[in-house]
Amino acid sequence: MQLCVYCSSSNHLHQRYVVAAQALGAGMARRGWGLVYGGGSVGLMGAVALSVQAHGGRVVGIIPQALLDREIGFLEADELIVTTTMRERKRLMDERADAIVTLPGGFGTLEELLEMMTLRQLAYHDKPIIIVNLDGFFDPLLAMFERIFAERFTDQRYRRLFTVVPTPDAALALLDGFTPPAPPADATASEFA
Ligand code: AMP
């Protein structure tokens, strides 16, 4: 399984967030799952990537040239895909991932999370989206979601778009019960073309 992780690029966070990012990286690598992420070396992004590799896992970073030019790319990634645009980067991240886990983060993280929720709502994909609500970090956002449901800005059935768990371990345990669907026949065929 390839796990896409959205999380903070900030280097100024409380250590408990870093510890959680490391726990996620360690747990997924031990399960043999690979990391697909934004390719940054900074903040929780760097912490997850380093931890995955330290525990024997494979890291795929997908980063736009502009961010790489600012020397904040994780050059030690097992595969570093450099894209021309941010849009292309996001498309590749989506394509490569079987499931999405969101750790605490800022505007970039929220944007990525909400885009994947929106695309799932519109049936562009059906990948699990897990929000790790560490120490209630996402409570204000979840309250906003509740208002969206309560005032019928979206339908109650879209509660299934995301799952909230308290810790990285709970996210991993949840995904233990998930088997990604097989790739479409034509995708498999093209690998051998
Ligand atoms: P933020 O939550 O605002 O810190 O943004 C983090 C998210 O935006 C990550 O999940 C990345 O995909 C993307 N991002 C932000 N900064 C970088 C960076 N330096 N390198 C690569 N991706 C980044």
Side-chain angles (χ1 to χ4, degrees):
M1 173 143 72
Q2 298 303 310
L3 215 59
C4 179
V5 177
Y6 301 141
C7 60
S8 174
S9 61
S10 170
N11 282 327
H12 306 286
L13 304 178
H14 192 284
Q15 186 63 14
R16 69 177 185 276
Y17 295 116
V18 178
V19 169
Q22 290 168 338
L24 180 66
M28 54 189 281
R30 286 197 192 103
R31 286 165 168 81
W33 300 346
L35 171 68
V36 178
Y37 84 122
S41 59
V42 281
L44 301 186
M45 302 178 74
V48 177
L50 281 171
S51 180
V52 166
Q53 284 188 332
H55 294 85
R58 188 166 192 276
V59 171
V60 178
I62 308 181
I63 190 164
Q65 185 69 53
L67 286 183
L68 195 61
D69 291 345
R70 284 164 52 194
E71 296 181 357
I72 41 186
F74 183 58
L75 302 179
E76 297 76 21
D78 298 280
E79 190 181 348
L80 191 64
I81 301 171
V82 183
T83 64
T84 319
T85 64
M86 192 62 136
R87 292 206 171 277
E88 191 189 350
R89 178 259 202 122
K90 289 169 76 173
R91 182 181 60 78
L92 284 176
M93 275 170 78
D94 298 353
E95 263 177 33
R96 293 253 189 153
D98 297 308
I100 293 121
V101 172
T102 306
L103 293 176
F107 300 130
T109 302
L110 290 187
E111 188 264 345
E112 291 171 326
L113 167 67
L114 289 174
E115 180 181 40
M116 285 308 275
M117 282 175 51
T118 309
L119 292 175
R120 196 177 189 195
Q121 179 174 255
L122 298 173
Y124 280 95
H125 74 88
D126 197 24
K127 298 172 187 179
I129 300 173
I130 299 176
I131 299 172
V132 182
N133 190 21
L134 208 73
D135 294 333
F137 176 84
F138 285 108
D139 282 353
L141 182 67
L142 299 174
M144 183 77 238
F145 290 175
E146 283 312 316
R147 183 161 183 172
I148 287 170
F149 288 120
E151 296 201 32
R152 305 184 68 175
F153 283 95
T154 193
D155 193 274
Q156 290 290 342
R157 73 194 145 105
Y158 292 125
R159 286 186 180 280
R160 68 173 285 278
L161 292 179
F162 60 94
T163 308
V164 182
V165 297
T167 59
D169 276 352
L172 294 163
L174 197 71
L175 288 169
D176 280 335
F178 169 71
T179 308
D186 57 341
T188 314
S190 68
E191 277 180 30
F192 298 99

